[in-house]
Structure formats: structure tokens, C-alpha cells
């Protein structure tokens, strides 16, 4: 009986360890999201918007890493670039809300026009799991555009996973 219990407990611990590793690296972390946004801002500065926006949507380009990708808005809430969903480009998302009624893009704009950079927390469908999960997006303003990269902190996170 003790041997069976040890085997079952060991198996459960292994599964839990694998889930923890997956949750922590299933799409990127805080420092990777910030680094990708900063890299994007620099790219826009050196190559211009047209070339940058085209590169941001390149699925095998330097602005895609696992589930990390960029989104770009103007200050009025119109989506200018998106690393995954090209159908939304050109549409105004100012009234976009999460499942709890939180205005996502309005919060992006508030931070961009206030501090100039920061985090927005909301709930959004995770394309990797299909579930609605907490998501955090780091955004930075450059001139009249907002560049962001979001992460799904994972089910082991409690509270905020980023500095504010």
C-alpha cells in the first residue's frame, strides 16, 4: 500500500511540476513582453511605420515568439497592426470590453496618454487553451501610436504578475 501511494504521489508531483513549467513559459513572461515592445518601438523609429507594421504581422519574423506578438493602436483606438488577426486592422476598438465589462483599449489609451507606458490587466480568451483567462498587456506610446504585447500569466499566478 505504501509503495502504491508513493508511486501515485510521485506521478502527481511530476504532473504538477510539468503544469507549472508550462504555465510559466506557455507564451512568454513579463520581461519578454516588455523587451518585445521596446524592440518594436526602436524598429518603428529606424524603419518607419509601414515597414514596421508589415514586419509585426510576419508569422516567422522577429516580432513573434511563441504566443508573444504585437498589437498597435492609434490614440483614438483604431487598430493599425496586429501580429495574428489581420481582419481587425483599420477597425476602431475603443468600445472593446472584456467579459467583466472592462474597457481594454480605453485603458491602453489612458496609460499611453498618461504615464506613456505601463500594464493593463483584463480577461481574454487564451488561444492556447481556449479558456477566458487573466491577461496582462504591456504598452508603450511612441508619438501618436500605442504598441503592446500581452501575456497570460497562468493559473498559478495570484494578483498582478508585473510591476506597476
Amino acid at each position: 500500500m505504501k509503495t502504491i501511494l508513493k508511486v501515485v504521489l510521485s506521478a502527481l508531483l511530476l504532473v504538477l511540476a510539468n503544469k507549472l513549467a508550462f504555465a510559466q513559459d506557455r507564451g512568454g513572461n513579463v520581461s519578454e513582453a516588455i523587451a518585445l515592445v521596446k524592440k518594436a518601438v526602436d524598429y518603428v523609429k529606424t524603419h518607419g511605420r509601414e515597414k514596421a507594421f508589415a514586419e509585426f504581422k510576419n508569422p516567422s519574423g522577429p516580432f513573434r515568439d511563441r504566443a508573444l506578438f504585437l498589437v498597435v493602436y492609434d490614440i483614438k483606438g483604431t487598430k493599425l497592426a496586429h501580429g495574428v488577426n489581420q481582419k481587425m486592422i483599420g477597425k476602431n476598438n475603443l468600445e472593446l470590453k472584456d467579459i467583466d465589462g472592462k474597457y481594454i483599449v480605453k485603458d491602453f489609451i489612458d496609460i499611453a496618454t498618461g504615464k506613456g507606458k505601463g500594464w493593463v490587466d483584463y480577461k481574454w480568451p487564451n488561444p492556447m487553451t481556449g479558456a477566458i483567462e487573466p491577461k496582462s498587456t504591456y504598452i508603450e506610446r511612441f508619438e501618436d501610436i500605442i504598441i503592446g504585447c500581452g501575456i497570460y500569466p497562468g493559473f498559478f499566478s495570484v494578483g498582478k504578475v508585473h510591476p506597476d
Side-chain angles (χ1 to χ4, degrees):
M1 182 69 168
K2 285 184 180 180
T3 303
I4 293 173
L5 186 58
K6 284 182 183 179
V7 169
V8 169
L9 187 55
S10 294
L12 286 173
L13 288 174
L14 183 60
V15 167
L16 185 59
N18 285 335
K19 283 190 176 225
L20 179 58
F22 174 74
Q24 291 174 337
D25 194 42
R26 64 182 173 172
N29 61 39
V30 167
S31 59
E32 291 169 326
I34 293 170
L36 191 63
V37 169
K38 291 187 179 305
K39 179 179 173 181
V41 169
D42 288 342
Y43 199 87
V44 172
K45 287 178 184 177
T46 58
H47 298 284
R49 293 177 189 207
E50 188 176 333
K51 185 172 182 176
F53 294 173
E55 196 60 44
F56 295 168
K57 68 181 178 182
N58 179 353
S60 59
F63 296 99
R64 289 288 299 275
D65 179 13
R66 294 161 291 157
L68 294 176
F69 60 87
L70 297 170
V71 62
V72 182
Y73 287 94
D74 68 16
I75 294 299
K76 295 180 181 179
T78 300
K79 192 172 286 182
L80 303 175
H82 195 282
V84 177
N85 188 350
Q86 306 310 307
K87 295 179 208 168
M88 296 302 293
I89 294 173
K91 295 186 180 178
N92 188 287
N93 295 141
L94 193 59
E95 299 299 317
L96 182 67
K97 297 179 192 178
D98 75 357
I99 194 167
D100 293 331
K102 181 175 182 169
Y103 287 98
I104 301 166
V105 178
K106 283 182 180 180
D107 285 355
F108 289 175
I109 293 168
D110 287 346
I111 288 181
T113 57
K115 297 186 284 184
K117 61 184 175 182
W119 289 93
V120 175
D121 299 318
Y122 52 100
K123 293 179 183 169
W124 199 251
N126 184 331
M128 296 177 76
T129 66
I132 294 175
E133 298 180 22
K135 184 173 186 176
S136 296
T137 295
Y138 177 75
I139 62 104
E140 277 193 27
R141 180 178 181 176
F142 172 68
E143 296 175 347
D144 63 340
I145 61 172
I146 301 165
I147 301 174
C149 180
I151 60 171
Y152 291 90
F155 52 82
F156 286 98
S157 301
V158 176
K160 289 186 178 181
V161 295
H162 53 79
D164 243 351

